[in-house]
Amino acid sequence: MDRKKIEIYDTTLRDGNQGEGVNLSLADKLEITQALDDLGVDYVEGGWPGSNPKDDAFFVSVRDLDLKHLKISAFGSTHRAEVDPEDDFFLAKLVAADADITCIFGKSWDLHVEQALRISPERNLEMITGSVQYLAETTGKPCFYDAEHFFDGFKSDPGYAIATVQAAVDGGAARVILCDTNGGVMPYEVAHAIREVRKETSGVKLGIHVHNDGGLAVANTLRAIEEGAIQVHGTINGIGERCGNVDLTSILGNLELKMGYLCLPEGHISSLTNISRKIWEYLGISGPSGQPFVGPSAFAHKGGVHVSAVQRNPETYEHIAPELVGNARKILISELSGGANLRAKLANRYPELEDAKIVKAILEEVQDREHSGYSFENADGSFDLVVRRHLGKYNPCFQPVYFRIYSPSNEDHSDSDSDSDGLIEASVKVKIGEMVKLCAAEGHGPVDALNKAVQQSLVEDYPVVLDLHLLDFSVKVINSTEETAAKVRVYLEHSFQGGIFGTIGVNVDIIKASWNALVEAYQYALLQHIEFVGELTNGKK
């Protein structure tokens, strides 16, 4: 059976860029455009021509992209009240942008007409019709109309709000998008308003554009689709001004997998997690771990009862199969874990975990260590070393003997242009087999210095350590009531040969906690590498 098509209109590059802490460069915007084309989105709003040089440059540079599916939209507003459409600066800029379509907004709320524009209701209707007609006729391309504040306008004066929609249709708008600009409308209000618009306005093709200030953006969007909207405006990950826009990753997941609509080319929904994480990377932001469908914790299971049930039948605690959206199931290890967690997480790697005594001993150690401040949820490297010790498979590649940190005195750096100004020195002694090595290094802070010194001491025997790179370093105070005597938990995240893992250290001394986490990172990486090489040698893949 053919599925009904819902158009996806992405506003990440404009609406999303208005979010706090978001500042996409021109290069970022072009790369995201290419990624959205690969995903199979229908439209992307590139920006507002004439509002800033970056947006002007985008509409020139985007012509060089080899887009297969995506259409580029240029955004703007109705013409100013004191001029005709052909004399308006911003409408001229929209025409010059030469995008595939234009999309302009106008006022639907009588409050805005009276207090923001300070014009008559009749003049506002003329501006809507005239602007849409001018753009459609001048460009010879579709013009979409955003009915800004439509739902608030409908609550204030339903007849006038609907008249603004009809004005856009009269001008030749290819789509009229109903906007909850303040983000506070309720789903039943969305449904009622759309029914009235469809009843009172002839030949209108509706879209929906909502913000998330009431936490209902996804619900309101899905409700609008049920009432006949055929186009969704939103941003990847829901980024945007104030509380953000509707999150297209949730919309796409629900529309395609739950409601049976066609939004993307066949099979492209499996790229959803990838593009979500790619956008977070562009922003330099760690997205919500529990973000629906695409978050790293969206399919994470921690409670022993949950894990046991999921192992028998994933439907018991998962609303979809994670691989449908390119995500993956994650089994967490903590003091709440049961034997099912351990077996599920490590069965392929350590078949010995069928031994109930070993499982019990590992769980008891995890519980004891978490009681003292550890957390193994994301520290797979440290957890693996715990398991190895209980299985008698922990053969450390080196023995740490000691470390020392030196902070050069100010007198050593009287020359402010010195290359070593501000650097910390660390010396590390390790034992590899019967050989003892002592190495020193400088770094930007004690952890950086320690890392470089450890790497120097190991690289001759284990050149692969050059592939180990620190991605994240975080510190959490555990028992803050102890004030300066409180324990700290240091978490290190490393990338190594295409994978990512975490290790952890706990101590009242932040340097010692960092040292313990760093040593475990090197031990885990080297053991992984040695096992991998052994498998290749034995003909395994």
Side-chain angles (χ1 to χ4, degrees):
M1 181 182 296
D2 291 338
R3 295 187 291 163
K4 181 180 177 181
K5 168 66 178 172
I6 299 297
E7 299 169 352
I8 302 300
Y9 182 109
D10 183 277
T11 67
T12 303
L13 306 185
R14 188 192 63 81
D15 261 344
N17 207 29
Q18 293 177 181
E20 184 175 6
V22 178
N23 186 15
L24 297 171
S25 68
L26 175 59
D28 292 339
K29 293 180 71 168
L30 292 170
E31 290 175 11
I32 291 172
T33 298
Q34 187 65 66
L36 291 170
D37 183 54
D38 294 340
L39 180 65
V41 167
D42 299 291
Y43 305 96
V44 65
E45 199 167 79
W48 189 333
S51 65
N52 63 81
K54 187 191 300 180
D55 283 2
D56 288 340
F58 172 84
F59 289 102
V60 174
S61 300
V62 76
R63 297 168 193 163
D64 295 330
L65 297 183
D66 183 20
L67 302 177
K68 303 292 192 298
H69 182 84
L70 190 64
K71 290 182 172 60
I72 305 299
S73 173
F75 181 82
S77 69
T78 55
H79 69 82
R80 291 165 292 168
E82 65 274 14
V83 300
D84 293 327
E86 58 270 19
D87 298 321
D88 187 83
F89 171 80
F90 285 108
L91 291 191
K93 281 293 210 176
L94 284 172
V95 173
D98 194 26
D100 297 310
I101 65 166
T102 54
C103 182
I104 59 171
F105 74 91
K107 302 298 185 182
S108 301
W109 190 1
D110 54 359
L111 175 74
H112 273 251
V113 175
E114 296 165 5
Q115 297 187 19
L117 295 182
R118 298 182 181 180
I119 59 175
S120 70
E122 294 75 21
R123 180 56 175 158
N124 182 53
L125 297 178
E126 292 172 357
M127 290 162 56
I128 295 170
T129 300
S131 298
V132 172
Q133 185 174 12
Y134 173 76
L135 288 170
E137 293 178 353
T138 305
T139 65
K141 299 173 182 177
C143 179
F144 295 169
Y145 176 71
D146 272 1
E148 188 187 41
H149 293 286
F150 175 79
F151 296 99
D152 289 311
F154 183 85
K155 286 189 284 185
S156 174
D157 186 339
Y160 186 72
I162 292 175
T164 65
V165 172
Q166 186 63 57
V169 174
D170 292 342
R175 302 284 186 273
V176 176
I177 298 91
L178 306 182
C179 303
D180 179 24
T181 313
N182 284 356
V185 73
M186 302 297 289
Y188 63 85
E189 294 174 319
V190 170
H192 174 62
I194 291 178
R195 287 177 198 148
E196 291 302 307
V197 170
R198 297 187 69 193
K199 183 170 66 176
E200 300 294 334
T201 308
S202 59
V204 62
K205 294 183 178 179
L206 295 176
I208 184 71
H209 179 133
V210 298
H211 288 249
N212 198 38
D213 299 69
L216 294 169
V218 170
N220 285 336
T221 300
L222 297 181
R223 195 73 182 92
I225 297 297
E226 289 179 321
E227 294 298 332
I230 63 167
Q231 186 180 97
V232 173
H233 288 213
T235 64
I236 300 296
N237 299 330
I239 61 173
E241 200 165 28
R242 304 186 314 276
C243 302
N245 292 56
V246 70
D247 184 350
L248 285 180
T249 64
S250 290
I251 291 300
L252 288 165
N254 281 301
L255 287 180
E256 287 231 348
L257 301 177
K258 302 294 186 69
M259 300 173 72
Y261 290 103
L262 177 65
C263 304
L264 304 174
E266 200 67 40
H268 283 216
I269 193 71
S270 63
S271 300
L272 207 56
T273 298
N274 181 56
I275 195 166
S276 169
R277 295 179 184 177
K278 190 175 289 187
I279 298 299
W280 287 127
E281 288 174 9
Y282 278 114
L283 304 181
I285 298 173
S286 296
S289 61
Q291 186 178 356
F293 291 97
V294 296
S297 299
F299 300 94
H301 304 281
K302 186 172 181 178
V305 172
H306 290 211
V307 173
S308 179
V310 165
Q311 288 301 108
R312 295 189 182 96
N313 184 348
E315 292 183 10
T316 53
Y317 285 99
E318 290 177 352
H319 68 116
I320 64 165
E323 58 270 16
L324 290 176
V325 291
N327 210 336
R329 182 175 303 123
K330 183 191 291 186
I331 305 300
L332 303 178
I333 300 298
S334 78
E335 60 188 355
L336 302 179
S337 301
N341 294 55
L342 288 179
R343 295 185 184 95
K345 189 175 182 70
L346 300 169
N348 291 335
R349 188 166 179 186
Y350 298 117
E352 303 93 323
L353 285 178
E354 291 300 319
D355 188 322
K357 290 183 179 180
I358 294 177
V359 170
K360 184 174 184 293
I362 294 172
L363 288 175
E364 286 177 349
E365 179 173 345
V366 168
Q367 291 168 351
D368 289 343
R369 294 182 73 177
E370 291 215 346
H371 182 68
S372 67
Y374 282 77
S375 175
F376 290 97
E377 281 189 24
N378 295 310
D380 283 353
S382 292
F383 174 68
D384 183 81
L385 297 182
V386 170
V387 174
R388 286 175 179 272
R389 290 186 182 100
H390 282 274
L391 293 176
K393 289 190 171 184
Y394 180 57
N395 300 307
C397 297
F398 65 96
Q399 295 289 343
V401 180
Y402 71 77
F403 72 90
R404 291 195 179 103
I405 300 292
Y406 306 91
S407 180
S409 65
N410 291 333
E411 288 78 8
D412 293 333
H413 301 294
S414 57
D415 180 1
S416 61
D417 295 327
S418 170
D419 290 338
S420 61
D421 189 26
L423 294 178
I424 299 295
E425 298 174 4
S427 64
V428 166
K429 180 182 282 189
V430 302
K431 186 176 181 181
I432 304 174
E434 297 302 316
M435 181 71 68
V436 176
K437 294 191 175 184
L438 176 63
C439 292
E442 290 182 323
H444 295 282
V447 177
D448 186 38
L450 282 172
N451 182 53
K452 290 178 178 177
V454 172
Q455 188 178 86
Q456 284 184 27
S457 67
L458 299 176
V459 69
E460 184 178 352
D461 294 88
Y462 304 107
V464 73
V465 297
L466 294 176
D467 291 334
L468 185 67
H469 301 287
L470 182 66
L471 299 178
D472 191 19
F473 170 80
S474 60
V475 180
K476 180 177 176 60
V477 176
I478 298 170
N479 50 340
S480 58
T481 56
E482 298 295 325
E483 300 182 357
T484 54
K487 285 183 180 179
V488 294
R489 179 193 303 143
V490 171
Y491 172 77
L492 302 183
E493 186 175 81
H494 283 85
S495 65
F496 182 68
Q497 296 186 324
I500 295 175
F501 68 91
T503 55
I504 199 164
V506 174
N507 202 285
V508 294
D509 184 334
I510 189 173
I511 304 300
K512 289 182 179 178
S514 302
W515 168 252
N516 292 337
L518 189 65
V519 167
E520 291 203 346
Y522 276 91
Q523 297 282 23
Y524 174 74
L526 289 174
L527 288 170
Q528 290 281 91
H529 174 71
I530 289 170
E531 285 186 355
F532 178 71
V533 171
E535 289 179 357
L536 291 181
T537 302
N538 293 328
K540 298 178 181 179
K541 294 292 184 182

